[in-house]
Amino acid sequence: MSDNFSSSQTIRKTVLRTHGGVVASQHRKAAEAGAAVLAAGGDAVDAAVATSFAAGVAEPWMSGPMGGGAMVIYRADEDRARVVHFGMRSPAALDPAAYPLAGGGQVSADLFPWPAVVDDMNCRGAKAVAVPGVVAGMSEAHAAYGRLSWGEVLQPAVTLAEAGLALDWYTTLMITGSARWLSRDPDAARMFLDEGQWPKAGNWATAENNRIALTQQALTLAQLAEEGAGAFYGGDIGATLVNDVQRKGGFLALRDLLDYRAQWLEPQRVAYRGGVIHVTPEMTAGPSLARCLGRLETLIEPHGHPDADTYLAYAKVLRDEYEWRLGNMGDNEDPRAPACTTHFSVVDRHGNMCAVTQTLLSAFGSHVVSPGTGMLLNNGIMWFDPEPGKPNSLGPGKRCLMNICPVVGQHNGRAFALGASGGRKILPAVMQLVSFLVDYGLSLEDAFHHARIDASTETIMIDPALPPAVQAAIAERFPHALAKRTCYPYAFACPAGVLRDGEGNQGCTEIMSPWGDTAFEEHATWPSA
């Protein structure tokens, strides 16, 4: 059990109601960007686009335009949900032979315990870069439902980038954790390190005035705001990106960008307890959540609050699902890996909702910066098993299998959008939050503060805040360990959600996330640094 915090310390996040729109994000600056767009008359989708690009500036190690993800959109006037899937793809010219196995039983040191590749080329460096999808996904959603112009919704991100990245304690911590890999790329070292090796570190008392310059990123975002997604997928931004990646030895080509398309998909509709949960239908954890909920409906009989039988059911269905997923889909992410993804949720004053998860994959992605764009690049190639002949083996032109699980749910007069970051920990968190809200009718605040388990590995991780009877029941049936919720690293996933009922809208984020927060339309101002 972690002893990082006083046993008498209590941490809570306040959840407020409003009749205006709400954005819940892992970073306060990103939430403020979305709320400002709502205040300017934007739709929930406008706010989601603004939040997406602002998050890429405020926490660039988690996500950004060079990543991928998926969005579940709910339209209140149509009572309809849709999915935009903008996952990454491997480049068409990728050669699996360029990733020779290290041999000797070595295992990758990053998120996935694949057989190690020589020099970790599938995890870090330009050969790890996959075709990014965020810009295409956001553009598709905005074209369908945006009310403000593309330039208007990207302006908050431009403003944040022009001000630079504040060197607060959390930024310094993140850089320190990846410094030895960032030092391998001269452009990443120049941006994040001093003298090419020492993490840039700000004085905690003056972090707002101690910043990392993001000048080139600001110029790229401004160009993207003016010219649209075409500047990225085949235009000047894309050509610059490709030149940078190829110069560093990667396979990304301009044709990969020209051929990339975000996909509109019908969500998988899961009937549950008289309500419905809309999940992403493929290449994500959405189908896994659907199977888990189908079993939960028969295994638990809700009454009062979640009890020992409830948590035993949670553990059983998740353990069984991961056994199937690992054997059939090649999804083998190490559950001990840190959260390195971004999730945010939006509801506007009309009840339209967005649940969005986006990622670079690892923290700092490939640990490579494109100097011509000023942005960190993804390491999506790491999603593939480098050993041939497996369900998810590395190959050219393949879609990446993600653990993301954004959802929109409706039940008993309430609607909610939620999701989480945290790799394999995402599915357990989302399933339990859905159960808390639907099976037990908890408020959003109580659901987010309620203790959870993580069952994404053979050892069930138990929050010691759970009642002793629950802990004992799990301990009797499963290998287990206790793990407190801490601000770093996360033993559990990092969720963010919004909820709408007859009294208005509200939002909440993971209580231990130091920068996660909600922002409200009524109090929004154009974001500043």
Side-chain angles (χ1 to χ4, degrees), residues 332-347:
N332 197 26
E333 185 169 337
D334 188 340
R336 298 167 299 178
C340 45
T341 296
T342 292
H343 180 84
F344 54 90
S345 298
V346 182
V347 57

Side-chain angles (χ1 to χ4, degrees), residues 146-510:
R147 298 177 60 187
L148 303 183
S149 72
W150 175 256
E152 286 176 294
V153 298
L154 263 65
Q155 186 56 47
V158 175
T159 301
L160 288 174
E162 288 173 343
L165 178 64
L167 263 175
D168 52 45
W169 68 269
Y170 187 60
T171 300
T172 299
L173 177 64
M174 293 302 299
I175 294 172
T176 301
S178 293
R180 72 188 182 106
W181 297 110
L182 292 168
S183 68
R184 294 173 55 169
D185 179 70
D187 298 298
R190 191 175 301 111
M191 178 178 288
F192 295 106
L193 306 177
D194 284 331
E195 301 178 19
Q197 57 180 329
W198 311 110
K200 290 183 184 291
N203 184 322
W204 67 270
T206 59
E208 281 301 307
N209 298 317
N210 193 352
R211 295 175 177 274
I212 293 175
L214 301 177
T215 306
Q216 189 57 54
Q217 184 174 152
L219 292 172
T220 300
L221 289 169
Q223 182 179 358
L224 185 62
E226 181 178 353
E227 299 179 16
F232 192 97
Y233 294 97
D236 290 344
I237 296 174
T240 299
L241 169 64
V242 166
N243 179 66
D244 288 345
V245 173
Q246 292 188 355
R247 183 172 53 83
K248 296 185 181 196
F251 289 107
L252 185 68
L254 194 59
R255 175 51 58 184
D256 293 314
L257 297 176
L258 286 166
D259 290 345
Y260 185 89
R261 298 289 185 276
Q263 295 177 287
W264 282 103
L265 302 172
E266 286 299 311
Q268 186 169 345
R269 190 176 187 275
V270 184
Y272 189 68
R273 306 284 186 199
V276 60
I277 312 297
H278 305 281
V279 306
T280 48
E282 56 187 57
M283 301 304 290
T284 66
S288 293
L289 177 62
R291 287 188 290 269
C292 288
L293 291 177
R295 294 189 63 198
L296 271 189
E297 194 162 20
T298 63
L299 287 176
I300 62 175
E301 298 180 4
H303 56 274
H305 276 65
D307 58 14
D309 289 339
T310 303
Y311 281 92
L312 286 174
Y314 291 163
K316 178 173 176 53
V317 300
L318 288 165
R319 282 281 300 274
D320 290 349
E321 179 59 30
Y322 274 108
E323 183 178 354
W324 183 90
R325 189 173 170 94
L326 291 171
N328 292 275
M329 299 181 72
D331 171 9
N332 197 26
E333 185 169 337
D334 188 340
R336 298 167 299 178
C340 45
T341 296
T342 292
H343 180 84
F344 54 90
S345 298
V346 182
V347 57
D348 66 21
R349 62 173 55 246
H350 305 292
N352 302 310
M353 290 185 165
C354 296
V356 187
T357 314
Q358 60 187 39
T359 185
L360 292 178
L361 186 47
S362 290
F364 290 92
S366 59
H367 297 81
V368 170
V369 167
S370 157
T373 66
M375 294 185 184
L376 277 162
L377 305 182
N378 70 73
N379 63 331
I381 298 306
M382 190 177 66
W383 260 307
F384 299 104
D385 189 337
E387 193 169 10
K390 298 297 182 67
N392 189 31
S393 290
L394 182 62
K398 294 181 67 174
R399 291 195 296 165
C400 300
L401 172 66
M402 300 180 286
N403 277 301
I404 66 175
C405 194
V407 303
V408 171
Q410 299 160 281
H411 179 263
N412 198 26
R414 301 196 298 178
F416 55 86
L418 57 86
S421 66
R424 280 178 59 185
K425 302 181 185 77
I426 293 173
L427 173 61
V430 172
M431 187 199 77
Q432 287 170 87
L433 286 169
V434 169
S435 179
F436 294 161
L437 292 170
V438 175
D439 291 327
Y440 296 96
L442 297 188
S443 68
L444 188 70
E445 180 172 2
D446 287 344
F448 269 68
H449 286 79
H450 204 287
R452 304 190 304 268
I453 63 170
D454 180 76
S456 59
T457 182
E458 290 185 3
T459 300
I460 307 296
M461 304 305 296
I462 304 172
D463 186 336
L466 283 168
V470 173
Q471 297 184 44
I474 295 173
E476 185 178 348
R477 292 277 302 276
F478 300 100
H480 66 284
L482 298 179
K484 285 185 177 181
R485 292 164 83 169
T486 62
C487 62
Y488 187 88
Y490 292 123
F492 306 92
C494 182
V498 294
L499 184 144
R500 179 180 179 87
D501 59 19
E503 299 180 35
N505 299 324
Q506 54 190 292
C508 194
T509 59
E510 166 56 38

